[in-house]
Amino acid sequence: MTLTIHDDLLDVKVICDPYTYYENLRKSDPVHWNELWRGWILTDYDDVSTAFHDKRLSSNRMKPSKSMPKSKSEELKSTFEILSKWMVFNDPPQHTRLRMLVNKAFTPKAVEKLRPRIDEICNDLLNKLEGNEKIDLIKDYAYALPILVISEMLGLPEEDRDQIKNWSDDLLLMVFGAVDIKDRHTRAQNSLREMSTYLREVAEDRSKNPKDDLISAISMAGDGNDLLTVDEIISTCTLLVFGGHETTTNLIANGMLALLQNPAEFEKLKVDSSLIRTGVEEFLRYDGPSKSMIRIAKEDVLIGSKMIKEGERLLLVQAGANRDPSKFENPNLLDISRNPNPHLGFGKGMHYCLGAPLARLEGEIAILKLIERFPNIELTNEKLEWQPTIINRGLKALPLQL
Ligand code: HEM
């Protein structure tokens, strides 16, 4: 069978501009069988939103694929063991249990307490940028913040943070499906193993000497005999480090890019900084860090006129749903005062992003502080390159003139 370019989700044109590609798909075939990816691509708002709630669609997908050679799946066994305990890859009842035990730490109220510390971290990072004419916003600012915040929440020592970031970077290659990087499985495997050994020591220490930090709270959470096992604590910590890392970095970078490419909206924000609240929601809709999420059909499911067979996989494309004109007026325009804005950037239903309040707060503070400090910040004429992955949406670098 000849494969058309139409199905190549990693084609450079699709990576650069997923919105036009998914818009065409939504118009022509909103529940589309993609032969190359071997799964169904959903791009219509109602279909994607309903699928996020559909209990017949499973999130339990972190296991070796049938096509993977046996030697490879043996080699990756320990990686799959850790990832398969991530709540995001579990269905109820296991998902419910894991989520309930960490939910409390991430309420908007609990997260709001971090505001002064996030302010301080941003100020420190911005101080280091003073005197530079040109920066890479990702490397020099947006990358550092989330890892510092989550490491601090967890209670991990400051001197270990670069190491934690390196481990997390390697893991991203596998989870986000960077298929062009050939040694991605081995790199993810090694880093996850090292990170787990490191976290095991910290978790064991905290269960004997609890401190006022998230690892201690997770270790103690639960009632009576329903505590998390040490393996579950470690898996959950790796998920929090990982979940709190690149996504938030990309919220800050994609958000700044959207503002710089839409100067009238940028001016509105400079004049009225309270618009940052609706602004962050709009960045999540307009060019959010999460392009799509995967599910597996647990049974035959009819979506639109298409029958999805048990065992087949689906890509719920948030980047398609968030630009659906039946839900959003002028969906291809950035409007930082858009309200209501029922975007699906954090997903929906039981797996709705646990870290959403934290990501929102970090995004709001990081962007406002940056433009307060450097109000004349602008794009350079360097070409921008996007990461070649199906799941996330992030630039390789964002060079800016201060
Ligand atoms: C702008 C930044 C972020 C975006 C766009 C984002 C996006 C998402 C999305 C789309 C999901 C749903 C996954 C699914 O349905 O399969 C999710 C789940 C999750 N996110 Fe985030 N996320 C962000 C930041 C964070 C942060 C800062 C943390 C934690 C520190 C975090 C932790 C999690 C966790 C633990 C889950 C799994 C929830 C569950 O399965 O119940 N995320 N995120």
Side-chain angles (χ1 to χ4, degrees), residues 185-203:
H185 284 140
T186 320
R187 278 171 62 182
Q189 163 95 345
N190 293 341
S191 289
L192 197 56
R193 200 185 294 130
E194 287 174 27
M195 191 172 176
S196 304
T197 311
Y198 167 83
L199 287 169
R200 186 177 296 275
E201 279 173 29
V202 182

Side-chain angles (χ1 to χ4, degrees), residues 64-245:
S65 67
K66 284 183 193 135
S67 59
M68 189 178 273
K70 204 159 179 271
S71 57
K72 190 86 191 161
S73 61
E74 272 302 307
E75 183 195 327
L76 292 176
K77 209 168 150 216
S78 65
T79 304
F80 283 113
E81 253 167 42
I82 294 179
L83 297 186
S84 64
K85 290 193 188 74
W86 281 12
M87 68 181 87
V88 71
F89 298 133
N90 273 278
D91 298 331
Q94 184 60 355
H95 169 264
T96 324
R97 173 170 172 273
L98 290 169
R99 172 120 191 179
M100 271 174 55
L101 295 178
V102 249
N103 247 350
K104 279 190 229 139
F106 281 92
T107 59
K109 208 170 144 204
V111 166
E112 185 57 36
K113 283 199 201 140
L114 292 167
R115 183 181 283 277
R117 187 59 193 125
I118 298 175
D119 271 348
E120 210 176 334
I121 294 174
C122 286
N123 285 338
D124 286 350
L125 291 169
L126 289 167
N127 289 344
K128 290 190 193 135
L129 300 185
E130 290 283 0
N132 288 310
E133 247 173 56
K134 216 186 103 182
I135 58 159
D136 168 7
L137 186 80
I138 296 186
K139 181 164 70 58
D140 299 328
Y141 185 62
Y143 214 56
L145 174 69
I147 202 81
L148 289 174
V149 173
I150 193 69
S151 302
E152 194 153 315
M153 272 181 93
L154 284 165
L156 306 176
E158 210 163 334
E159 61 273 19
D160 299 341
R161 288 182 192 164
D162 279 344
Q163 178 63 74
I164 295 161
K165 197 154 68 57
N166 291 341
W167 288 328
S168 182
D169 284 348
D170 284 347
L171 193 56
L172 279 168
L173 299 175
M174 179 158 151
V175 179
F176 281 153
V179 285
D180 63 335
I181 298 181
K182 295 291 171 249
D183 66 344
R184 70 186 196 283
H185 284 140
T186 320
R187 278 171 62 182
Q189 163 95 345
N190 293 341
S191 289
L192 197 56
R193 200 185 294 130
E194 287 174 27
M195 191 172 176
S196 304
T197 311
Y198 167 83
L199 287 169
R200 186 177 296 275
E201 279 173 29
V202 182
E204 280 169 357
D205 171 68
R206 294 302 196 282
S207 54
K208 284 180 226 130
N209 313 299
K211 292 192 180 161
D212 183 19
D213 60 32
L214 193 52
I215 297 198
S216 306
I218 294 174
S219 313
M220 309 303 225
D223 39 13
N225 44 22
D226 192 24
L227 292 175
L228 293 185
T229 64
V230 175
D231 283 348
E232 286 171 336
I233 295 169
I234 292 163
S235 287
T236 301
C237 291
T238 56
L239 169 59
L240 295 177
V241 170
F242 166 80
H245 182 188

Side-chain angles (χ1 to χ4, degrees), residues 20-37:
T20 306
Y21 176 80
Y22 287 125
E23 183 178 330
N24 289 335
L25 211 50
R26 188 185 338 100
K27 284 183 191 155
S28 60
D29 190 15
V31 184
H32 172 74
W33 173 258
N34 181 311
E35 183 58 31
L36 187 58
W37 187 70

Side-chain angles (χ1 to χ4, degrees), residues 322-365:
N322 285 340
R323 299 277 190 113
D324 187 336
S326 71
K327 197 71 187 176
F328 302 98
E329 220 180 299
N330 296 323
N332 294 324
L333 290 188
L334 179 82
D335 172 3
I336 61 162
S337 43
R338 193 183 288 273
N339 193 12
N341 189 344
H343 66 80
L344 302 177
F346 286 125
K348 218 177 171 187
M350 70 173 121
H351 290 285
Y352 181 83
C353 178
L354 176 92
L358 178 61
R360 288 189 166 108
L361 187 66
E362 288 182 43
E364 285 175 18
I365 297 177

